[in-house]
Amino acid sequence: MSSTYLERYLEGVESLPTEVQRNFTLMRELDEKKQNILGEINGLSSKYIVEVKSLSPANRHKKLTEIQDLYAKARELADDKVQLAAQTYELVDKHIRRLDSDLNRFETELRKKEAEQGDSSSSQVEPSTRKSVEPQRKRGANSQSSDTGVASSVPSAAEVLDMPVDPNEPTYCICHQVSYGEMIGCDNPDCPVEWFHFACVGLSSKPKGKWYCPRCAQDKKKK
């Protein structure tokens, strides 16, 4: 299922680097043309200032008109560059929105599939062994740490690494990864991390009594 979304997205994004590179090349060319015109304007302006007293009114008007026309061309090139930059941004943003949409659909289908599998196997699973998939961020003091401080989610570590990552999904543990496998909550209510993967803190099973993460345990010894 995930491979279908990935293949479809890669097909759509395949031409993106070429299109973006082409737009950047055009913007660079527009910028070079504008800089050349500005240099020409500076030269004409300096020459006009030196010769203005000796010029007839008709020649003054002619040279000023020439400078104004060059300014108009430079402004037109700058507007074209801004418009091209906006098109490039929209081009990339369109692919980002499509990826977000595909991720949302994939997550919805995945949750639906997991729910169906859970319903079909519920008669074989003890209710007490089924934990919440996502660790709870907020806890009261010692409310979930010793008795319900272990959270278990369905995906394994390998499966999590293979799944597309939502940038808005919260991360946990000292590894700064999303929740997966068995997790344990630190008994310190002020712990900045709160939840940890068993493997990251050297646990193979839920410890008895209260448990503190390595950082909080060290701080506790100092007090």
Side-chain angles (χ1 to χ4, degrees):
M1 180 172 58
S2 60
S3 60
T4 302
Y5 284 103
L6 180 60
E7 290 172 0
R8 186 170 61 187
Y9 179 75
L10 290 177
E11 288 176 1
V13 81
E14 185 176 1
S15 62
L16 180 61
T18 303
E19 295 175 0
V20 172
Q21 181 63 38
R22 181 193 62 195
N23 286 356
F24 278 131
T25 301
L26 291 175
M27 283 189 285
R28 189 181 303 110
E29 292 175 355
L30 290 173
D31 189 61
E32 290 175 355
K33 290 180 181 179
K34 186 194 71 172
Q35 293 300 326
N36 291 335
I37 291 177
L38 291 178
E40 189 176 352
I41 291 173
N42 288 334
L44 290 175
S45 299
S46 299
K47 185 177 180 181
Y48 176 80
I49 293 173
V50 173
E51 300 176 349
V52 62
K53 293 182 179 180
S54 61
L55 294 174
S56 64
N59 285 333
R60 290 181 185 177
H61 182 269
K62 180 180 179 180
K63 289 185 177 296
L64 287 175
T65 301
E66 184 179 0
I67 293 174
Q68 290 174 350
D69 289 343
L70 289 174
Y71 266 119
K73 289 181 180 179
R75 184 171 58 249
E76 183 178 349
L77 290 172
D79 291 341
D80 290 344
K81 181 182 175 183
V82 170
Q83 184 177 2
L84 193 58
Q87 291 175 356
T88 305
Y89 174 85
E90 179 61 28
L91 180 65
V92 176
D93 190 57
K94 179 182 69 174
H95 286 280
I96 294 175
R97 292 196 302 268
R98 179 181 175 184
L99 177 59
D100 287 340
S101 177
D102 285 345
L103 284 174
N104 288 333
R105 285 198 298 267
F106 173 72
E107 290 174 357
T108 300
E109 292 180 10
L110 184 62
R111 283 194 293 266
K112 183 178 179 181
K113 185 176 180 180
E114 290 176 350
E116 292 174 352
Q117 291 176 346
D119 292 340
S120 63
S121 60
S122 59
S123 60
Q124 302 176 2
V125 180
E126 292 282 336
S128 59
T129 63
R130 289 157 58 183
K131 306 290 184 178
S132 59
V133 173
E134 195 72 25
Q136 298 180 9
R137 268 293 185 185
K138 298 181 179 180
R139 311 191 306 269
N142 303 322
S143 61
Q144 288 188 330
S145 53
S146 58
D147 294 333
T148 60
V150 179
S152 174
S153 59
V154 175
S156 65
E159 291 171 337
V160 169
L161 294 176
D162 290 337
M163 291 171 57
V165 178
D166 184 351
N168 297 319
E169 186 174 357
T171 57
Y172 307 90
C173 192
I174 54 179
C175 65
H176 303 292
Q177 297 294 327
V178 298
S179 63
Y180 62 83
E182 288 188 298
M183 300 187 70
I184 185 169
C186 179
D187 270 284
N188 180 8
D190 298 323
C191 179
V193 182
E194 298 185 10
W195 289 94
F196 301 82
H197 304 107
F198 269 30
C200 293
V201 291
L203 294 176
S204 57
S205 61
K206 177 184 174 182
K208 295 181 179 180
K210 293 187 176 183
W211 179 86
Y212 295 92
C213 71
R215 176 178 176 180
C216 292
Q218 185 175 5
D219 291 343
K220 190 176 179 64
K221 290 180 181 179
K222 293 180 180 179
K223 295 181 179 180

